[in-house]
Amino acid sequence: MDRIEYTYTFGMDDEEVVDALESHEVGVLSLASDGSGYAIPVAYLFDGSSLYIRLGTDDSSKKLSFIDETDEACFLLYEYEPPDDSWSVIATGPLSELTGDERAVFDDVTINEEFLRLRVFDEDVDEIDLEIYELEIETLTGRKTGSESL
């Protein structure tokens, strides 16, 4: 390691982790099925104890099959500013689709206010179902480089 450059990282305190989650809108959701991983960028809302993840799905959605098979999802939020400033937050826990009264809280107005615009790729807009999933946070950790602030 005497020729490999490195930067020390340190644990983030609870306030820094919460600030990072509250001040960003997009992270990476990682799922797994039969030994295969699948990671997707997602819009999210943090309420202090759970992450609410908005997904656009259709009948051919690969992410739905992975969600059904994932016992513990992993959510990553990070930022990197060259040359050495970086931080990351990782949350893990079960992921479940909101239904009924829980889902009704996220009406069209709330979704438009709380999440960034839905990114539509190759799908027909009329064929997309909008789903809200809750990642119930069981573990939450943050790491940062020597920078004292986010």
Side-chain angles (χ1 to χ4, degrees):
M1 285 277 300
D2 57 334
R3 289 182 274 177
I4 301 297
E5 295 180 12
Y6 61 90
T7 301
Y8 281 108
T9 64
F10 306 92
M12 293 167 62
D13 64 34
D14 292 344
E15 185 177 314
E16 290 173 307
V17 170
V18 168
D19 183 55
L21 288 167
E22 289 178 343
S23 62
H24 292 78
E25 299 180 84
V26 178
V28 178
L29 179 65
S30 297
L31 309 167
S33 175
D34 292 328
S36 295
Y38 187 62
I40 51 175
V42 294
Y44 75 92
L45 171 66
F46 176 63
D47 77 348
S49 61
S50 291
L51 291 169
Y52 294 94
I53 297 168
R54 188 215 48 216
L55 299 175
T57 63
D58 61 22
D59 291 338
S60 64
S61 181
K62 183 175 182 178
K63 62 188 143 226
L64 289 182
S65 65
F66 273 82
I67 286 172
D68 290 342
E69 297 296 319
T70 301
D71 293 326
E72 180 182 75
C74 181
F75 177 83
L76 167 67
L77 182 65
Y78 71 95
E79 191 167 277
Y80 169 68
E81 294 180 31
D84 293 323
D85 273 351
S86 65
W87 58 264
S88 62
V89 172
I90 296 176
T92 63
L95 189 65
S96 58
E97 182 180 0
L98 296 186
T99 59
D101 291 342
E102 290 177 324
R103 175 60 173 91
V105 170
F106 290 94
D107 60 13
D108 292 349
V109 171
T110 302
I111 289 171
N112 286 332
E113 289 175 352
E114 300 294 342
F115 296 94
L116 60 91
R117 287 185 183 191
L118 180 65
R119 297 329 196 224
V120 177
F121 298 101
D122 231 357
E123 307 96 345
D124 179 351
V125 174
D126 294 328
E127 301 290 321
I128 297 174
D129 293 320
L130 195 61
E131 310 292 346
I132 306 291
Y133 282 80
E134 178 184 12
L135 191 151
E136 184 181 335
I137 298 173
E138 291 182 343
T139 66
L140 184 61
T141 58
R143 306 259 329 144
K144 65 181 179 177
T145 55
S147 174
E148 291 301 315
S149 62
L150 295 176

